[in-house]
Amino acid sequence: MFISLSSRKPAEMSSKRGGTSRVLVKLKKSVEEGKYYEAHQMYRTLYFRYMSQKKHAEAIELLYSGATLLLEHEQYGSGADLSILLAEVFQTSKAAVEDENIEKVAKLFQLIPQQIPERQTFIANSLRWAQQMKPPQTYISEIHRHVGIVLWKEKNFSGATHHLLRSNDGDSCGAMLVESHTQRGLPSEVDLFVAQTVLQFLCFNNKSTASVTFYAYTANHPAIMSGPPFVLPLLNFLWLLLIAVDSGKLTVFTVLCEVYHPSLQRDPSYNVYLDKIGQVFFGVTPPPEPNGPPGMLGSLMRSFMGVEEESPEEPSPLTTEEVD
């Protein structure tokens, strides 16, 4: 059922909102009758007409309604196409990055299947829209949060981690990491799963979310029975590091890296993260390191530990008094 705008009655033109609603009803009927191609083309025609008239609100309503309807009828290519156009309207009109619009983005992202390549284009365009706002990080982090939660529900833990790391939702991040480890990890990796994420949050200068993530994970993981202090040395290192960044004392950071050096050797990437953390929180400007571990951590280890860089025993946990 192809719809001609020229057939609308004068009464319909008296209200833009009412006219748009009636058009949407007709388009919905077309989709429900299985006339998907015709409906998709009409959505696009109306979109270009609204944009030429700078009727951005009508274009947003039209595209969101059409994208949702087509995706719910498993017309994924057409629905994703309208979703991408919606993100473009958000950018062009400089639409407010408010809860209502962010929820539109989240719902459409959830409806587009993972295997549809346009899904990534849609979310990339949505993030560019948020980038236009001032300050952009507040809005960008909220989109990342919604996307991360959708990916978590899909059991895409790697993708969820990527997006939640760019959010301020430590509670969701910690809960997701618990589920990720209990379903996909080895028992010996219980501390590694949270360490990677906490250190990355600190590299992003996001200490508050790093702390919430750490405590959400350690309080709710069934294999972590008590703490702090913890049985696992790496968890104690993270706990004391989160305290140390508040003080900004380089000597405390240096001692922590020395004492927990054996645990930090379990993942080579920790050297890189700690180098960045030293710069962000402790005022370190690392010189080029032609040999040995990169950056500041290598210098700390050489200066404090000399030739004896490994200990046969795990260190006893430091106390908060020792950090202060």
Side-chain angles (χ1 to χ4, degrees):
M1 182 178 69
F2 222 68
I3 304 160
S4 172
L5 289 183
S6 62
S7 65
R8 289 190 293 175
K9 299 177 181 179
E12 295 176 9
M13 301 297 293
S14 64
S15 170
K16 293 190 291 184
R17 180 67 62 184
T20 302
S21 298
R22 282 184 281 272
V23 169
L24 294 178
V25 169
K26 293 179 181 180
L27 284 168
K28 180 179 180 181
K29 183 179 179 182
S30 182
V31 171
E32 290 174 345
E33 291 174 350
K35 298 176 182 179
Y36 303 125
Y37 176 79
E38 293 88 343
H40 180 215
Q41 294 306 307
M42 195 59 201
Y43 278 117
R44 290 183 62 88
T45 299
L46 286 166
Y47 155 73
F48 286 114
R49 184 171 300 181
Y50 283 146
M51 293 303 289
S52 69
Q53 298 170 354
K54 299 190 182 304
K55 295 180 177 180
H56 297 138
E58 289 83 351
I60 289 170
E61 183 180 4
L62 173 83
L63 291 172
Y64 178 68
S65 174
T68 302
L69 192 59
L70 286 166
L71 290 168
E72 289 175 344
H73 282 76
E74 300 183 354
Q75 301 303 301
Y76 299 126
S78 298
D81 174 62
L82 297 186
S83 299
I84 291 170
L85 292 178
L86 176 64
E88 292 178 1
V89 177
F90 282 152
Q91 291 183 67
T92 301
S93 65
K94 294 182 170 55
V97 187
E98 56 192 10
D99 289 345
E100 181 182 357
N101 287 335
I102 292 174
E103 287 170 5
K104 286 182 170 70
V105 170
K107 181 176 180 180
L108 293 177
F109 181 80
Q110 185 173 10
L111 288 173
I112 302 172
Q114 300 180 55
Q115 67 270 20
I116 302 299
E118 289 84 1
R119 192 189 209 202
Q120 293 306 315
T121 303
F122 168 60
I123 206 60
N125 287 353
S126 298
L127 288 168
R128 278 193 285 272
W129 158 55
Q131 186 69 41
Q132 297 176 163
M133 301 297 111
K134 302 296 181 183
Q137 194 54 45
T138 301
Y139 305 102
I140 291 172
S141 65
E142 190 63 12
I143 292 178
H144 278 300
R145 183 180 77 84
H146 281 274
V147 172
I149 290 173
V150 170
L151 294 173
W152 171 20
K153 292 178 180 178
E154 295 174 351
K155 308 300 181 183
N156 181 350
F157 296 118
S158 175
T161 301
H162 172 84
H163 286 281
L164 289 175
L165 267 170
R166 289 153 179 82
S167 77
N168 295 312
D169 190 353
D171 286 318
S172 292
C173 193
M176 181 275 299
L177 289 171
V178 170
E179 185 176 324
S180 175
H181 177 257
T182 55
Q183 293 187 10
R184 305 281 176 85
L186 298 173
S188 61
E189 297 173 333
V190 62
D191 50 351
L192 298 180
F193 267 63
V194 70
Q196 181 95 355
T197 303
V198 168
L199 294 176
Q200 287 176 328
F201 269 126
L202 292 175
C203 288
F204 288 145
N205 197 11
N206 192 346
K207 189 266 178 181
S208 61
T209 310
S211 182
V212 172
T213 298
F214 175 74
Y215 287 108
Y217 182 88
T218 55
N220 293 288
H221 199 295
I224 301 174
M225 304 307 296
S226 63
F230 302 94
V231 173
L232 298 171
L234 186 57
L235 294 181
N236 285 316
F237 172 77
L238 296 173
W239 166 48
L240 295 170
L241 176 62
L242 289 169
I243 297 172
V245 297
D246 285 332
S247 73
K249 296 178 181 178
L250 179 59
T251 53
V252 174
F253 181 52
T254 301
V255 170
L256 282 176
C257 292
E258 173 193 358
V259 171
Y260 288 96
H261 180 62
S263 295
L264 297 174
Q265 293 302 103
R266 293 171 64 193
D267 188 332
S269 67
Y270 293 167
N271 284 351
V272 179
Y273 297 145
L274 291 169
D275 182 42
K276 180 65 175 177
I277 291 166
Q279 298 173 52
V280 172
F281 292 101
F282 301 99
V284 175
T285 303
E289 293 288 340
N291 299 305
M296 183 207 64
L297 185 60
S299 298
L300 293 177
M301 293 303 99
R302 284 192 294 274
S303 62
F304 272 82
M305 305 185 75
V307 295
E308 187 178 357
E309 294 192 355
E310 294 189 5
S311 171
E313 299 180 357
E314 292 283 12
S316 300
L318 297 179
T319 67
T320 53
E321 288 77 11
E322 290 176 272
V323 173
D324 297 335

